[in-house]
Amino acid sequence: MASAPRIGVFLLVVGVVAASPVRAQGVESAALSRALDLEGEGKCRDAIPFFRAALGTTSDPAGALYGLERCVSEAGSPDTLLTIIDSVLVRRPRDPVARTIQLRTLVNAHRDAAGRLAFEQWVTAVPGDAAPFREYARLLLDAGLTRTADTVLTFATQRLGSGRQVAAELAELKGALGMWEASATNWRQAMTYAPYLEASAVFVLGAAAGVARDTIRGVLAADPTDLPVRRILAGLEMRWSSAREAWNALKVVAPDDSVLDAWLEFAADAEERESWLVARDAYAGVLRHRRTAALLVRAATAALQGNEPASALAWSDSLATWRDTSQAATITLVRLRALGQLGRAAAADSLLEQRGSTLDPVTRGDAVRAVAWAWVRTGDVPRARATLARGGEESDERTTAWMALFEGDLKTARTGLRRLDEFSSEAVLALSVLSRTRGERSTGIGDAFLALARSDTVAAAAGFEMAAKDVADASPLLLAISARLFRATRDSARAETIWDGLIAAHPASPEAAEADLEWAKVLRQHGNGSAAIARLEHLILTYPQSALVPQARRELELAKGTIPP
Amino acid sequence: MAGYNSVRRVLAAVIACAAFAPVVGAQHLLVPMDDRQTNHLKAYGLIFNALRDGHKSEWFLNYRGGSFLLPDIAEMRRRAALDGISFEALDNGRVTALRAEIAANNMDAVALERAPKIAIYTPPKAPPWDDAVTLALQYAGIEYTAIWDDEVIAGDLTKYDWLHLHHEDFTGQLNKLYLGFRDAPWFIEQRDRGLDAARRLGYANIPALKKAVAEKMRQYIEQGGFLFAMCGATETLGLAIAAHQTDIAGSFADGTPLDDNADQRLDWNRAFAFQNVHLEQNAFVNSMSDIDGHQVNVAGRRQPLGQFSLFSFSAKFDPVASMLVQNHRQVIPDFYGVTTSFTRQTLKPGVVVLASEEGAPWVKYIHGDYGKGSWTFLGGHDPEDPQHNIGAAPTDLSLHPGSLGYRLILNNVLFPAAKKKPLKT
């Protein structure tokens, strides 16, 4: 009988002991939740007591400490926060969150001596730990106190035996001091334990200029070839140079799953930047190890967008026998467009005959228009019209308007293109010409645009120059377009002759100021500064109301060397 | 009726002539320097080059931000149009009215007669973007000659009216950057260049060379030259001149420790602006002395940036000080430099304070006479780059055509062109 109460007491004790943490945890989470709710409602002052309550009951005070830091800083009383932190540190002298907040508060309050003391106490509390050095150095760097950060990191190197554990902070410091080689070396080291800092490395090193960039390249490109380091180099090349150089930096890493994922991410980034051929090459790199129809289509599409229809066709041809039929329609369309760009209109026509019936109506319409454009690129507009008619797409407003333009029917083209929501550079150019003239027909303008559609820039440039003689009301604009195209083909001499004639014959036209500006830019590029200055001065003095004057003034400063290049 | 109509016609003709007179028959161009001006900095270049070409100009102190008057010549209009400088055509009648307004107020018209010959003390091959004055002169289109130790030691300073110094350390300690930048290529190049110059010119080390250069500059001012200095040159020039018989360079610079009693041995009678200065003797503390109030490179001493206000002077009785503070705003955001400001406790009596921060123990912009010449010191490195970290991109002044801080620099360029002899306050 005597044992029954004892068992009862024992069970009660066990029950209390078992329930206590649960209840405490409940109290803690309730206080923290209440504090966070109040903070969310903008009642920071009211939240402080709840954060403090949560701090008193929890075994992991991080959430409550951060909340207190936010709210107490907002209330503008760092001393209150420091008192709370001191009490936490009495119980938990090694707590990294409390130590960090203490340091941050002191540094932000410019209490340098107290900050230094708090740092030294933290170092003593956690001998051999890099955290105090990292946090303090980072805070000092953020505050622009590079010299003190240098002292702290030198101290860290002595205490920890090497600078390896504070490499990221050293890297940032060296970057801030312009010591680029040392910074790049430290970033290399930091990548071994903190690869997530890649973006920081690109940000810091990206500020280097001139010859320092080659030094950084040398450090990051040295063996061994690690993915995180190469990603930094690729990020820098993307910023300094080109997507092509970035891919060159990344492609040399030995492929494994994570490397292939990095290449895919890079390819998508290159697509976004419209570096289509680099994207294609990155996809091709992945395809050598991970072959899927979707990736093949993306590679072919990127090639097509990059005006490399031959490789697009090769990619899509390799898919023609692919067993995955989910991509069949897309593949057909890519092949048709590739054939069109290659000027193989007959082959495109034939492919449409073979596969047209397997396509859904929308894709089929796209396919018919692709073949029609293929005929346009061969210069055969009647065949293009016939293809549209055969495919039931002759009423397509966009294609009809463009066909009319190619045939010199300016009236129909003007009406059709104005109705479209097309913002391609070609459409903008066509509309600018059509708006400038009241003429209804011009074979010259049609031929010039058709040459552009055939990607024959030289013929187009000559065509616009010829057309300028026939279409008087749009003459200066046509000459300006012609000069622009000649310049694009690197025939600057011809462009300069046209600009010269344009300025002389149409001095009151808006294109005259543009001609001066473009001409000056070419002259400056060719090292003829004095002639460039003369052109720019002519522009500013002759067309003081032109919207191009601010741009001309800037070019003038650059030509005279009065501002940094 | 016929007579009435003819009178009306004559009146109409007179009114028409009067309406067109300012445009057609203007004799002067007013270059306003208030908020109506679209490019304040280029305006200084316009005036300087007009003087260089033999034209006369006037500086209307305290009138619309310190405006200028030029003869209405086609070439002036052309230059102004090219540089985007605003101007207003005035006939003699309007100029007479304007002069009456100037005479009746705290304003004055100062004749500008001759473009001063400008020398800038800057290392050979240094790009103009490294120094606020060369940046400003380059942008404004004002000619200058770059000189360095060889020319100064050879006595070439006498060829120039105006000398500018920027962040050169005349104590020869390379701004104590040894601590943070000892391995940086640019620092090594700077040190080697200094050592080469010292050897070539017969000095044992960089501190000895710079001390000799500082002494030549002191003599130049004493004999009537104008000196404008910014940033670290202000402080270190004073220290180098005062230390003509004292070793104030750390052993890392000249191989010998500095004099234990350096503070007491400095000869402030010879210095321009400062006295009773306490030297920072620790080689690893990035500060030269207690002249600078902000101590930007010393953790624990660094003071935050505020803003400084320009003082107003009597244009008629104190034209020099007035010229130096012409601006279209009176309050200017502060900017750091190796030397950012000058503590009041180290200023000599008689130093004219041109600008200071209200309530702060330092001033920003000071001026004084020395012998037959005068000096002006402006603290800070680059008015449009307040933090100015080493390696930062150079300032593009076409983005700051109305810069208040740069206007102070350019005031200094034009003031030696003034005909009037400075009057004592």
Side-chain angles (χ1 to χ4, degrees), chain A residues 126-134 153-166:
Chain A
V126 288
D129 191 339
F133 301 100
R134 279 188 195 151
L153 291 171
T154 308
F155 181 39
T157 309
Q158 291 161 0
R159 288 292 291 261
L160 301 172
S162 81
R164 191 164 285 276
Q165 292 181 74
V166 288

PDB file of all heavy atoms in Angstrom, chain A residues 126-134 153-166:
ATOM      1  N   VAL A 126      36.562  32.622 -27.524  1.00  0.00           N
ATOM      2  CA  VAL A 126      36.547  31.522 -28.511  1.00  0.00           C
ATOM      3  C   VAL A 126      37.925  31.401 -29.169  1.00  0.00           C
ATOM      4  O   VAL A 126      38.086  31.700 -30.355  1.00  0.00           O
ATOM      5  CB  VAL A 126      35.440  31.722 -29.572  1.00  0.00           C
ATOM      6  CG1 VAL A 126      34.074  31.483 -29.005  1.00  0.00           C
ATOM      7  CG2 VAL A 126      35.516  33.125 -30.176  1.00  0.00           C
ATOM      8  N   PRO A 127      38.927  30.967 -28.412  1.00  0.00           N
ATOM      9  CA  PRO A 127      40.270  30.913 -28.996  1.00  0.00           C
ATOM     10  C   PRO A 127      40.305  29.985 -30.220  1.00  0.00           C
ATOM     11  O   PRO A 127      39.691  28.923 -30.214  1.00  0.00           O
ATOM     12  CB  PRO A 127      41.137  30.354 -27.849  1.00  0.00           C
ATOM     13  CG  PRO A 127      40.195  29.807 -26.847  1.00  0.00           C
ATOM     14  CD  PRO A 127      38.880  30.473 -27.033  1.00  0.00           C
ATOM     15  N   GLY A 128      40.961  30.426 -31.244  1.00  0.00           N
ATOM     16  CA  GLY A 128      41.092  29.595 -32.455  1.00  0.00           C
ATOM     17  C   GLY A 128      39.939  29.731 -33.412  1.00  0.00           C
ATOM     18  O   GLY A 128      39.967  29.174 -34.514  1.00  0.00           O
ATOM     19  N   ASP A 129      38.908  30.482 -33.030  1.00  0.00           N
ATOM     20  CA  ASP A 129      37.735  30.647 -33.899  1.00  0.00           C
ATOM     21  C   ASP A 129      37.929  31.907 -34.772  1.00  0.00           C
ATOM     22  O   ASP A 129      38.330  32.964 -34.264  1.00  0.00           O
ATOM     23  CB  ASP A 129      36.483  30.795 -33.024  1.00  0.00           C
ATOM     24  CG  ASP A 129      35.201  30.697 -33.849  1.00  0.00           C
ATOM     25  OD1 ASP A 129      35.271  30.924 -35.075  1.00  0.00           O
ATOM     26  OD2 ASP A 129      34.142  30.401 -33.263  1.00  0.00           O
ATOM     27  N   ALA A 130      37.609  31.783 -36.047  1.00  0.00           N
ATOM     28  CA  ALA A 130      37.803  32.919 -36.965  1.00  0.00           C
ATOM     29  C   ALA A 130      36.645  33.916 -36.916  1.00  0.00           C
ATOM     30  O   ALA A 130      36.765  35.038 -37.422  1.00  0.00           O
ATOM     31  CB  ALA A 130      37.966  32.407 -38.385  1.00  0.00           C
ATOM     32  N   ALA A 131      35.519  33.502 -36.289  1.00  0.00           N
ATOM     33  CA  ALA A 131      34.308  34.342 -36.350  1.00  0.00           C
ATOM     34  C   ALA A 131      34.524  35.776 -35.867  1.00  0.00           C
ATOM     35  O   ALA A 131      34.102  36.726 -36.534  1.00  0.00           O
ATOM     36  CB  ALA A 131      33.176  33.681 -35.574  1.00  0.00           C
ATOM     37  N   PRO A 132      35.184  35.984 -34.691  1.00  0.00           N
ATOM     38  CA  PRO A 132      35.333  37.384 -34.247  1.00  0.00           C
ATOM     39  C   PRO A 132      36.088  38.236 -35.251  1.00  0.00           C
ATOM     40  O   PRO A 132      35.724  39.383 -35.498  1.00  0.00           O
ATOM     41  CB  PRO A 132      36.149  37.258 -32.945  1.00  0.00           C
ATOM     42  CG  PRO A 132      36.083  35.847 -32.538  1.00  0.00           C
ATOM     43  CD  PRO A 132      35.773  35.024 -33.747  1.00  0.00           C
ATOM     44  N   PHE A 133      37.126  37.684 -35.848  1.00  0.00           N
ATOM     45  CA  PHE A 133      37.926  38.436 -36.817  1.00  0.00           C
ATOM     46  C   PHE A 133      37.086  38.773 -38.050  1.00  0.00           C
ATOM     47  O   PHE A 133      37.124  39.880 -38.561  1.00  0.00           O
ATOM     48  CB  PHE A 133      39.160  37.618 -37.230  1.00  0.00           C
ATOM     49  CG  PHE A 133      40.048  37.270 -36.058  1.00  0.00           C
ATOM     50  CD1 PHE A 133      39.994  36.014 -35.475  1.00  0.00           C
ATOM     51  CD2 PHE A 133      40.917  38.213 -35.539  1.00  0.00           C
ATOM     52  CE1 PHE A 133      40.799  35.703 -34.404  1.00  0.00           C
ATOM     53  CE2 PHE A 133      41.732  37.902 -34.456  1.00  0.00           C
ATOM     54  CZ  PHE A 133      41.672  36.645 -33.882  1.00  0.00           C
ATOM     55  N   ARG A 134      36.348  37.752 -38.515  1.00  0.00           N
ATOM     56  CA  ARG A 134      35.526  37.962 -39.717  1.00  0.00           C
ATOM     57  C   ARG A 134      34.501  39.062 -39.496  1.00  0.00           C
ATOM     58  O   ARG A 134      34.364  39.987 -40.281  1.00  0.00           O
ATOM     59  CB  ARG A 134      34.762  36.677 -40.056  1.00  0.00           C
ATOM     60  CG  ARG A 134      35.585  35.684 -40.798  1.00  0.00           C
ATOM     61  CD  ARG A 134      34.669  34.564 -41.254  1.00  0.00           C
ATOM     62  NE  ARG A 134      35.463  33.428 -41.652  1.00  0.00           N
ATOM     63  CZ  ARG A 134      35.072  32.179 -41.573  1.00  0.00           C
ATOM     64  NH1 ARG A 134      33.898  31.876 -41.086  1.00  0.00           N
ATOM     65  NH2 ARG A 134      35.844  31.207 -41.987  1.00  0.00           N
ATOM     66  N   LEU A 153      42.781  42.027 -39.474  1.00  0.00           N
ATOM     67  CA  LEU A 153      43.014  40.825 -40.286  1.00  0.00           C
ATOM     68  C   LEU A 153      44.479  40.366 -40.181  1.00  0.00           C
ATOM     69  O   LEU A 153      44.757  39.164 -40.239  1.00  0.00           O
ATOM     70  CB  LEU A 153      42.614  41.090 -41.742  1.00  0.00           C
ATOM     71  CG  LEU A 153      41.098  41.263 -41.918  1.00  0.00           C
ATOM     72  CD1 LEU A 153      40.761  41.736 -43.324  1.00  0.00           C
ATOM     73  CD2 LEU A 153      40.359  39.967 -41.625  1.00  0.00           C
ATOM     74  N   THR A 154      45.383  41.325 -40.025  1.00  0.00           N
ATOM     75  CA  THR A 154      46.784  40.934 -39.788  1.00  0.00           C
ATOM     76  C   THR A 154      46.880  40.174 -38.468  1.00  0.00           C
ATOM     77  O   THR A 154      47.550  39.141 -38.357  1.00  0.00           O
ATOM     78  CB  THR A 154      47.681  42.195 -39.741  1.00  0.00           C
ATOM     79  OG1 THR A 154      47.436  42.960 -40.918  1.00  0.00           O
ATOM     80  CG2 THR A 154      49.154  41.841 -39.652  1.00  0.00           C
ATOM     81  N   PHE A 155      46.165  40.671 -37.467  1.00  0.00           N
ATOM     82  CA  PHE A 155      46.101  40.026 -36.156  1.00  0.00           C
ATOM     83  C   PHE A 155      45.505  38.620 -36.308  1.00  0.00           C
ATOM     84  O   PHE A 155      46.000  37.646 -35.727  1.00  0.00           O
ATOM     85  CB  PHE A 155      45.246  40.920 -35.241  1.00  0.00           C
ATOM     86  CG  PHE A 155      45.087  40.433 -33.830  1.00  0.00           C
ATOM     87  CD1 PHE A 155      46.144  39.835 -33.143  1.00  0.00           C
ATOM     88  CD2 PHE A 155      43.870  40.593 -33.162  1.00  0.00           C
ATOM     89  CE1 PHE A 155      45.978  39.403 -31.836  1.00  0.00           C
ATOM     90  CE2 PHE A 155      43.703  40.158 -31.860  1.00  0.00           C
ATOM     91  CZ  PHE A 155      44.763  39.559 -31.196  1.00  0.00           C
ATOM     92  N   ALA A 156      44.446  38.501 -37.131  1.00  0.00           N
ATOM     93  CA  ALA A 156      43.804  37.198 -37.346  1.00  0.00           C
ATOM     94  C   ALA A 156      44.790  36.207 -37.945  1.00  0.00           C
ATOM     95  O   ALA A 156      44.860  35.044 -37.523  1.00  0.00           O
ATOM     96  CB  ALA A 156      42.609  37.363 -38.285  1.00  0.00           C
ATOM     97  N   THR A 157      45.564  36.677 -38.900  1.00  0.00           N
ATOM     98  CA  THR A 157      46.535  35.795 -39.553  1.00  0.00           C
ATOM     99  C   THR A 157      47.552  35.278 -38.537  1.00  0.00           C
ATOM    100  O   THR A 157      47.922  34.103 -38.559  1.00  0.00           O
ATOM    101  CB  THR A 157      47.246  36.572 -40.684  1.00  0.00           C
ATOM    102  OG1 THR A 157      46.250  37.179 -41.503  1.00  0.00           O
ATOM    103  CG2 THR A 157      48.091  35.658 -41.540  1.00  0.00           C
ATOM    104  N   GLN A 158      47.942  36.161 -37.617  1.00  0.00           N
ATOM    105  CA  GLN A 158      48.902  35.730 -36.584  1.00  0.00           C
ATOM    106  C   GLN A 158      48.256  34.738 -35.615  1.00  0.00           C
ATOM    107  O   GLN A 158      48.832  33.697 -35.300  1.00  0.00           O
ATOM    108  CB  GLN A 158      49.402  36.945 -35.791  1.00  0.00           C
ATOM    109  CG  GLN A 158      50.294  37.867 -36.592  1.00  0.00           C
ATOM    110  CD  GLN A 158      50.400  39.255 -35.964  1.00  0.00           C
ATOM    111  OE1 GLN A 158      49.807  39.545 -34.926  1.00  0.00           O
ATOM    112  NE2 GLN A 158      51.149  40.132 -36.630  1.00  0.00           N
ATOM    113  N   ARG A 159      47.049  35.050 -35.175  1.00  0.00           N
ATOM    114  CA  ARG A 159      46.404  34.212 -34.150  1.00  0.00           C
ATOM    115  C   ARG A 159      45.935  32.873 -34.694  1.00  0.00           C
ATOM    116  O   ARG A 159      45.942  31.875 -33.997  1.00  0.00           O
ATOM    117  CB  ARG A 159      45.198  34.952 -33.541  1.00  0.00           C
ATOM    118  CG  ARG A 159      45.573  36.086 -32.633  1.00  0.00           C
ATOM    119  CD  ARG A 159      46.241  35.604 -31.348  1.00  0.00           C
ATOM    120  NE  ARG A 159      45.314  34.898 -30.479  1.00  0.00           N
ATOM    121  CZ  ARG A 159      44.711  35.464 -29.438  1.00  0.00           C
ATOM    122  NH1 ARG A 159      44.945  36.709 -29.138  1.00  0.00           N
ATOM    123  NH2 ARG A 159      43.882  34.761 -28.680  1.00  0.00           N
ATOM    124  N   LEU A 160      45.485  32.861 -35.948  1.00  0.00           N
ATOM    125  CA  LEU A 160      44.905  31.631 -36.512  1.00  0.00           C
ATOM    126  C   LEU A 160      45.945  30.808 -37.280  1.00  0.00           C
ATOM    127  O   LEU A 160      45.643  29.732 -37.777  1.00  0.00           O
ATOM    128  CB  LEU A 160      43.745  31.983 -37.456  1.00  0.00           C
ATOM    129  CG  LEU A 160      42.601  32.776 -36.820  1.00  0.00           C
ATOM    130  CD1 LEU A 160      41.613  33.236 -37.882  1.00  0.00           C
ATOM    131  CD2 LEU A 160      41.873  31.929 -35.773  1.00  0.00           C
ATOM    132  N   GLY A 161      47.133  31.329 -37.401  1.00  0.00           N
ATOM    133  CA  GLY A 161      48.182  30.568 -38.077  1.00  0.00           C
ATOM    134  C   GLY A 161      48.256  30.845 -39.562  1.00  0.00           C
ATOM    135  O   GLY A 161      49.285  30.669 -40.185  1.00  0.00           O
ATOM    136  N   SER A 162      47.163  31.284 -40.152  1.00  0.00           N
ATOM    137  CA  SER A 162      47.162  31.665 -41.571  1.00  0.00           C
ATOM    138  C   SER A 162      45.940  32.541 -41.823  1.00  0.00           C
ATOM    139  O   SER A 162      45.056  32.655 -40.975  1.00  0.00           O
ATOM    140  CB  SER A 162      47.110  30.433 -42.478  1.00  0.00           C
ATOM    141  OG  SER A 162      45.787  29.970 -42.573  1.00  0.00           O
ATOM    142  N   GLY A 163      45.901  33.130 -43.014  1.00  0.00           N
ATOM    143  CA  GLY A 163      44.763  33.989 -43.340  1.00  0.00           C
ATOM    144  C   GLY A 163      43.655  33.235 -44.039  1.00  0.00           C
ATOM    145  O   GLY A 163      42.668  33.826 -44.490  1.00  0.00           O
ATOM    146  N   ARG A 164      43.794  31.911 -44.119  1.00  0.00           N
ATOM    147  CA  ARG A 164      42.857  31.107 -44.899  1.00  0.00           C
ATOM    148  C   ARG A 164      41.412  31.277 -44.412  1.00  0.00           C
ATOM    149  O   ARG A 164      40.493  31.399 -45.204  1.00  0.00           O
ATOM    150  CB  ARG A 164      43.280  29.645 -44.837  1.00  0.00           C
ATOM    151  CG  ARG A 164      42.576  28.726 -45.806  1.00  0.00           C
ATOM    152  CD  ARG A 164      43.327  27.440 -45.941  1.00  0.00           C
ATOM    153  NE  ARG A 164      44.535  27.586 -46.736  1.00  0.00           N
ATOM    154  CZ  ARG A 164      44.565  27.540 -48.066  1.00  0.00           C
ATOM    155  NH1 ARG A 164      43.458  27.357 -48.737  1.00  0.00           N
ATOM    156  NH2 ARG A 164      45.686  27.695 -48.722  1.00  0.00           N
ATOM    157  N   GLN A 165      41.248  31.293 -43.078  1.00  0.00           N
ATOM    158  CA  GLN A 165      39.879  31.355 -42.547  1.00  0.00           C
ATOM    159  C   GLN A 165      39.238  32.739 -42.666  1.00  0.00           C
ATOM    160  O   GLN A 165      38.030  32.869 -42.484  1.00  0.00           O
ATOM    161  CB  GLN A 165      39.881  30.926 -41.075  1.00  0.00           C
ATOM    162  CG  GLN A 165      40.205  29.450 -40.885  1.00  0.00           C
ATOM    163  CD  GLN A 165      40.166  29.092 -39.424  1.00  0.00           C
ATOM    164  OE1 GLN A 165      39.104  28.994 -38.832  1.00  0.00           O
ATOM    165  NE2 GLN A 165      41.335  28.916 -38.816  1.00  0.00           N
ATOM    166  N   VAL A 166      40.043  33.730 -42.926  1.00  0.00           N
ATOM    167  CA  VAL A 166      39.478  35.082 -43.104  1.00  0.00           C
ATOM    168  C   VAL A 166      39.767  35.565 -44.526  1.00  0.00           C
ATOM    169  O   VAL A 166      39.853  36.766 -44.786  1.00  0.00           O
ATOM    170  CB  VAL A 166      40.037  36.085 -42.064  1.00  0.00           C
ATOM    171  CG1 VAL A 166      39.478  35.813 -40.690  1.00  0.00           C
ATOM    172  CG2 VAL A 166      41.556  36.057 -42.042  1.00  0.00           C
TER     173      VAL A 166
END
